[in-house]
Structure formats: C-alpha cells, structure tokens
Amino acid sequence: MRGYFGSAQVQALQGARDAEVAELRDLPGAVVHARAFSSDDPEALGWDRLRDVMAREGIVTLRGVGPEVVERATRELSAFSPNLHHWDIFRADADTLRAVCGPLAAAPLPDTLMRLSVDALTDDVVHAVQAFLDGHGVSPFSRDALTGRLFPARLVVITHRDGRIAAAGFAGMTHNRFSPFHRDAWVGLIAVDPELRGLGLGRQVDAITNLEAVDALGAGGSIEFVARDNAPSRAMLESCGLRQMPDRAVVMFSTSTDRLSR
C-alpha cells in the first residue's frame, strides 16, 4: 500500500486512521492519531465504539487519562482479555520549551550531519524515515501523517552527508478541540542511529522537534509519552524542560504483546 510502511497489521492500522481523520477531528473523546485508535475521554466517545474497535483491530489506546478511567476501561474491555501497556506523560508549556530547548536546538550539528529542510522531505526521504524508525523499534506513521497532509504536523530529519537517515522526530496536533490537550502538540517518534548515540543527538533532536511544535505549529505546549522502564528517555525529556504529569497516563489495551513503540 503506497505511503504505508511496516507489518501488515501496522499498515492496516495506518490506513484505518488515515481514513478516519475527518471524523475524528470533530468527535468528542477521539484523538486524531496515526496508528492505534485512541481516546482521551472514553465516556464522551462511548465504550461501545472502543469495544467495536477492539473486536475489529485488537487494540485501543487511552491517552492522558487518570487511574479511575483505566480501572473502568479494564472492566469495559475485559471480554477481550487484553494486555495493558503503560506510558507516563511529560509536558512543558511553550515558554519553557523556548527557554530550555532553544539553546539545545541551536547547537551546531557534527560536521558529518545535516538537517533536511521541509522542502527536502520528498516521498523517498519519508519512506527512508519510515524504514529507519521501523528498524529501530518505533512503529512508523503513514507518509501523509508524517508530512502533515492529514493534520498539522512537522517531521524533523537529520541525515549523514551520504543521505542515510541519522535521526528523526515528529510533532503533531493530534488532540481535537474537545480535548484538554487541544492546544498541545504530541512529540514522539524520536530515534537516533546507534552509531551516533552518546553524543547528545537524541536530546538535540527532541529539542528541535519541541521547538517546531511551538514555533511552526503554534502549540501552547507539548506532551511526550515514555515507558516507565525507559530511564534514558525520561532523563532526556526532563533535560528538555518537560515534567511528568501526576495521575495521568497512556494505556494501550491490546490482544498482542507488541506495544508498537518503546
């Protein structure tokens, strides 16, 4: 399927989400995401919708919810015997991101690397980014989602001088006007070539991507998700000025043990 990348399951999820964008951007409780069907208010969305998606796709995600909602979802979706995968939410407002991420983003890249302009993000480059993310354990989005053709988004791409992808990051306005996060961009899909790790490039890409969220997309802040056992990523987010939101989490309910991302 042109523009999609990954396993058959992942490509099917990408296609389903792309097709639903027009509906989800104006549906209370829905999130305009690009892989698993997501909700930030399942009461407003309706539990029947989530059960229908579980029956059809075997996966739904609740984003930015409290423990009482997770407990309710566990009961509502119990018939599917789902595995639960948890991420914590980190957030910073635009002023904090500009103050903390600005100097990090402005630091020069190593001479062997270069950042691609938005105009340079051809379909072939985006395909290479999808392959890069997939190869580093991050399930990619569709081409149209990555390039902002479906909802406001920015893709950050760093390459080696020979054109190979060195690092990537993504920011998108995925929460609709009904959401408490409607002014925030989601930042994620951060990945770095293993041969470049230890140089602070991941933190710099994260900083660049957060600045793109506030300066290019006009976000009032950004949110990022990180697994509870991913200490390096948690430290990276904190070094970019983000702080964990208490009593808020992202929880994936899935009939698979694959959590699609780190």
Side-chain angles (χ1 to χ4, degrees):
M1 291 184 287
R2 188 169 183 270
Y4 303 144
F5 191 95
S7 68
Q9 180 205 22
V10 168
Q11 291 192 42
L13 292 174
Q14 292 166 355
R17 299 296 80 78
D18 284 10
E20 292 174 337
V21 167
E23 176 196 9
L24 300 185
R25 68 160 54 101
D26 203 40
L27 182 64
V31 177
V32 185
H33 202 252
R35 274 188 317 231
F37 186 91
S38 301
S39 173
D40 54 17
D41 186 348
E43 292 289 343
L45 179 70
W47 292 105
D48 285 344
R49 178 69 180 264
L50 292 177
R51 281 190 284 267
D52 287 345
V53 176
M54 281 293 295
R56 185 172 62 253
E57 301 180 359
I59 181 171
V60 298
T61 299
L62 303 183
R63 296 168 55 131
V65 299
E68 69 286 349
V69 177
V70 177
E71 182 178 349
R72 172 75 184 275
T74 302
R75 296 195 304 271
E76 294 285 349
L77 303 177
S78 62
F80 301 96
S81 302
N83 296 292
L84 272 62
H85 307 285
H86 296 260
W87 293 263
D88 291 327
I89 300 181
F90 284 64
R91 183 186 184 276
D93 61 30
D95 289 342
T96 299
L97 293 170
R98 290 189 178 102
V100 178
C101 294
L104 296 172
L109 292 169
D111 291 340
T112 57
L113 303 178
M114 60 182 291
R115 179 184 172 186
L116 297 185
S117 69
V118 173
D119 291 341
L121 300 180
T122 64
D123 287 354
D124 286 344
V125 170
V126 175
H127 181 82
V129 171
Q130 291 174 313
F132 175 80
L133 293 172
D134 186 67
H136 291 85
V138 180
S139 182
F141 293 172
S142 73
R143 177 200 59 211
D144 288 351
L146 288 174
T147 53
R149 298 172 189 173
L150 300 177
F151 51 86
R154 278 299 178 100
L155 179 63
V156 172
V157 182
I158 309 294
T159 68
H160 295 275
R161 291 290 176 179
D162 61 8
R164 290 178 295 123
I165 307 298
F170 175 82
M173 304 298 290
T174 58
H175 290 267
N176 66 29
R177 63 190 177 92
F178 299 101
S179 171
F181 299 103
H182 72 279
R183 295 193 65 247
D184 291 337
W186 175 75
V187 170
L189 308 184
I190 306 295
V192 175
D193 187 335
E195 70 182 62
L196 299 172
R197 290 177 186 166
L199 303 177
L201 185 59
R203 182 177 67 170
Q204 187 172 12
V205 170
D206 194 61
I208 292 170
T209 308
N210 274 288
L211 283 183
E212 287 291 291
V214 298
D215 291 339
L217 300 180
S222 71
I223 53 175
E224 297 195 52
F225 308 153
V226 60
R228 294 173 177 176
D229 59 355
N230 193 339
S233 290
R234 299 173 78 90
M236 180 184 74
L237 300 193
E238 291 180 341
S239 72
C240 287
L242 290 89
R243 296 294 180 265
Q244 185 177 347
M245 297 183 69
D247 300 322
R248 287 292 179 268
V250 176
V251 182
M252 177 186 290
F253 291 76
S254 175
T255 56
S256 168
T257 57
D258 184 2
R259 60 185 190 181
L260 299 182
S261 187
R262 296 191 300 266

